Amino acid sequence: MKILAIDASVGVSVAVLNEGKLTSSESVSHGMQGELTADFISQTIKSAGLKVSDISDVVVGVGPGPFTGLRVGIVTAVVFAHARGIPVHGICSLDAVAYKYGKPCVVVTDARRKELYWAQYHQGRISQPQVAKPEALAEMFNGVDFVGPGVELYPDVVSGINLDLHASALAEIFASGTAQLVDVAPMYLRKPDAVEPTTRKSVL
Amino acid sequence: MSEPLILGIETSCDETGIGIVRGTTLLADEVASSVAEHARFGGVVPEVASRAHLEAMVPTIERACKTANIKLSDVDAIAVTSGPGLAGALLVGVAAAKSLAVALGKPIYGVNHLAAHVCVDQLEHGPLAEPSVAMLVSGGHSSLLLVPDITQDVIQLGQTIDDAAGEAFDKIARVLGLPFPGGPYIDQAAQQGNPEAIDFPRGLTTPKDLLKHRFDVSFSGLKTAVARWVESEQRAGNAVMVNDVAASFQEAVVDVLMRKAIDACLENEVGTLVIGGGVAANTRLRAVAAQRCAEHKISLRIPRPGLCTDNGAMVAALGAELVKRGRDASQLSFGTDSTMNVTTVVAK
Ligand SMILES: [Zn+2]
């Protein structure tokens, strides 16, 4: 198996797992997914000593995460797989952090608007990914390890171990055969901010 | 070498468009629109549009390849709208296009949406005259352009200083209780109405305005005038003559647009006018354009309505012209530009 893994739920992270050997490119800067993702794929495949046509599977982190970047990662993955005629697999992005941590934990990432995305893990993910206020999380999970890039944001409320979210872990989870696969569609967890006009507005 | 086979992707607003052309021959033009999802909000909601683009992308690419009877691997280059447009929507199309380019090992052209609107006419009426004057009118744009070379030299003569032409149609439709998008409904109502019933103002046409805004347009004064007129009728207890208001409003828009377009052709001594954008589907605009161009011996080119609205074929058409003329492709790291100036035809 030669796996191309892509995650754009936090920054941009691309990895190739070539028969157990990892090669990766990343950038944690937000909002550069559109510029960097394709370039990273091209570079990473080349650095792994492979050709595009060697890739056998695409794995993509489907969030949760800020929507704009998330969509870049997912559309990149599904179009690549379609163009190459290979399968694409979706994994909850938070799973990557829990896999690296290896112990029971709650993974947290930035959901903006003073909230965190989170999911609970105990030998695999045991909750649906959700969005919550840090205070609510602290109350719900007293004594549980918080891990992930989200612990840096509200250190007085939710503190723990800052582990980055890497696509390489998604590739490893998939290769291990233990992945909890999900639909290849963004985990939005929030509705679009649009309201239907209730009364006919004057245009003046 | 045979003519280049280009796949074009358009996602600047609410249409996911995939077009495939070989040279100037249109092979496929598939569009998935999310307009119905926006109707209840009375306008395009960017987040809703972006979500729809992602869902529609692979199925629309698949459909286009099937219609064109080609394999993706046959494509010589990818073209995609990199701006102007809704930032989040553009990003979905550009990411998809880049992924195709990497997966297929083909060059990519990030192109200007406005230039693509002009270039699409080549698919119907053959090579563009050089130079041409182009007027683009839609819900998102109102631009008057001088086009010496569509692949690298496009000059903006004028634009709207407030609402886009199509936006004015949407807003007046709402005042008149007609559905969104307003263009087709106003057009229909106007056909039963008297265009001379009410003398609505023609924006930026006084000698003083022309000094500063000779080729610019403005629709906000007209919009206000129509809304005031309707409200005063309602206050007086009169039934609003929707058809007459629609016809008189439309006449004012069309009159101003065509005065400016003809003036641009005469001033620049250009013998060809190309009209594009969704508002180019308006029957009154087409009729007045034909009449006034004939009076001034200007040759008029308007693509059929399906090619005037946003679509992937226009992007592919411009991509094919760029390849044919040997213009440089974009770097894989080019970005989207929601306010991309029309003087930039291809993103670096
Ligand atoms: Zn357009």
Side-chain angles (χ1 to χ4, degrees), chain A residues 34 71 76 84 190 196, chain B residues 40 47 51 91 98-99 103:
Chain A
R71 275 191 287 266
T76 301
R84 299 297 335 154
R190 278 185 185 135
E196 290 181 43
Chain B
R40 64 199 173 98
E47 176 63 21
R51 290 184 180 196
L91 211 45
K98 288 183 176 186
S99 189

Side-chain angles (χ1 to χ4, degrees), chain B residues 59-78:
Chain B
T60 313
I61 292 174
E62 242 178 329
R63 249 181 18 238
C65 287
K66 207 169 157 204
T67 306
N69 195 22
I70 60 142
K71 293 193 302 291
L72 270 178
S73 53
D74 299 335
V75 166
D76 293 310
I78 310 295

Side-chain angles (χ1 to χ4, degrees), chain A residues 22-101:
Chain A
L22 268 173
T23 310
S24 57
S25 300
E26 14 229 341
S27 161
V28 289
S29 72
H30 291 273
M32 290 292 282
Q33 284 97 342
E35 282 83 351
L36 299 177
T37 308
D39 222 6
F40 279 2
I41 292 173
S42 166
Q43 285 171 28
T44 312
I45 293 175
K46 211 175 285 169
S47 317
L50 298 175
K51 293 195 298 290
V52 167
S53 54
D54 294 327
I55 300 295
S56 62
D57 291 88
V58 180
V59 174
V60 63
V62 297
F67 304 161
T68 306
L70 197 56
R71 275 191 287 266
V72 169
I74 294 174
V75 81
T76 301
V78 296
V79 167
F80 187 96
H82 175 70
R84 299 297 335 154
I86 58 178
V88 55
H89 316 277
I91 297 181
C92 170
S93 299
L94 307 178
D95 294 8
V97 178
Y99 183 81
K100 278 291 163 200
Y101 188 60

Side-chain angles (χ1 to χ4, degrees), chain B residues 1 4 6 76-79 107-111 115 119 122 130 147-154 317-331 343-348:
Chain B
M1 182 185 145
I6 311 295
D76 293 310
I78 310 295
I108 182 168
Y109 294 80
V111 306
C119 198
Q122 296 204 139
E130 294 184 336
V147 189
D149 175 349
I150 194 61
T151 63
Q152 60 178 13
D153 190 9
V154 181
L318 180 52
E321 194 62 26
L322 289 163
V323 170
K324 205 172 116 193
R325 299 211 189 184
R327 305 287 177 237
D328 287 341
S330 303
Q331 302 285 328
T343 48
T344 305
V345 176
V346 185
K348 287 270 176 278

Side-chain angles (χ1 to χ4, degrees), chain B residues 265-341:
Chain B
C265 290
L266 298 178
E267 169 68 13
N268 292 284
E269 297 179 358
V270 171
T272 304
L273 173 66
V274 183
I275 305 183
V279 177
N282 182 276
T283 51
R284 185 65 187 149
L285 178 66
R286 286 179 171 247
V288 173
Q291 184 199 331
R292 295 196 194 171
C293 282
E295 277 165 27
H296 294 279
K297 308 236 172 342
I298 294 165
S299 110
L300 173 67
R301 298 173 49 150
I302 313 181
R304 68 182 136 90
L307 291 179
C308 283
T309 47
D310 292 349
N311 61 75
M314 66 191 216
V315 179
L318 180 52
E321 194 62 26
L322 289 163
V323 170
K324 205 172 116 193
R325 299 211 189 184
R327 305 287 177 237
D328 287 341
S330 303
Q331 302 285 328
L332 197 51
S333 56
F334 77 88
T336 56
D337 181 355
S338 59
T339 59
M340 192 173 189
N341 197 297

